[in-house]
């Protein structure tokens, strides 16, 4: 079999996964697209290993490591998505990003000048110092 067939299939799978990562809003679908990209890489590794007739089968060994890393990534990624969904009620990536950023510079909850003790007017502060 020619090397072009698995290479074309792998590039189509990788491009489909890349489109899924860039266009999807749901975090679980983004994780599925990342898995599709990793499987495209695995297909390339095995195809080149067969084509080069490597005696050590380095492509297949690297594919096993990639599968193990992908399994760990999916486990941790799903745990994070479930925790975020429990806390925020959604797994929509755009809504999660918007809720993490402050809307205006004046709305910073960690600003020490906005404490109740410092919330008086300038006249009250002048009377307090006099």
């Amino acid at each position: 079999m020619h090397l072009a067939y698995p290479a074309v299939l792998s590039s189509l799978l990788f491009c489909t996964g890349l489109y899924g990562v860039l266009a999807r809003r749901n975090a679980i679908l983004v994780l599925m697209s990342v898995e599709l990209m990793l499987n495209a890489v695995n297909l390339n590794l095995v195809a080149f290993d067969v084509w080069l007739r490597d005696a050590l089968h380095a492509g297949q060994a690297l594919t096993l490591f990639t599968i193990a890393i992908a399994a760990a990534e999916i486990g941790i990624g799903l745990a994070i998505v479930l925790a975020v969904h429990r806390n925020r009620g959604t797994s929509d990536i755009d809504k999660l990003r918007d809720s993490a950023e402050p809307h205006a510079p004046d709305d910073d909850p960690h600003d020490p000048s906005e404490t109740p003790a410092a919330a008086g007017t300038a006249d009250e502060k002048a009377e307090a110092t006099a």
Side-chain angles (χ1 to χ4, degrees):
M1 180 167 55
H2 295 286
L3 182 63
Y5 298 133
V8 167
L9 178 63
S10 175
S11 64
L12 288 174
L13 283 174
F14 191 86
C15 289
T16 304
L18 185 65
Y19 172 75
V21 167
L22 296 176
R24 297 294 179 193
R25 302 287 184 242
N26 192 350
I28 294 176
L29 292 177
V30 170
L31 287 174
M32 288 174 60
S33 298
V34 169
E35 286 295 319
L36 193 62
M37 291 168 61
L38 287 172
N39 285 330
V41 169
N42 289 339
L43 179 62
N44 249 347
L45 286 171
V46 171
F48 275 98
D49 182 51
V50 170
W51 184 65
L52 293 173
R53 293 184 176 92
D54 188 16
L56 296 176
H57 298 293
Q60 293 178 17
L62 193 56
T63 298
L64 290 175
F65 285 116
T66 307
I67 290 171
I69 289 171
E73 175 257 334
I74 252 324
I76 292 172
L78 282 176
I80 291 171
V81 168
L82 285 174
V84 167
H85 189 277
R86 285 181 186 161
N87 287 336
R88 305 252 175 113
T90 184
S91 62
D92 188 9
I93 295 174
D94 288 336
K95 290 181 182 175
L96 295 176
R97 184 186 58 204
D98 291 341
S99 64
E101 298 172 355
H103 295 291
D106 299 334
D107 295 341
D108 188 16
H110 302 293
D111 191 11
S113 65
E114 296 293 325
T115 59
T121 62
D123 294 331
E124 291 174 355
K125 290 179 185 176
E127 288 178 8
T129 57

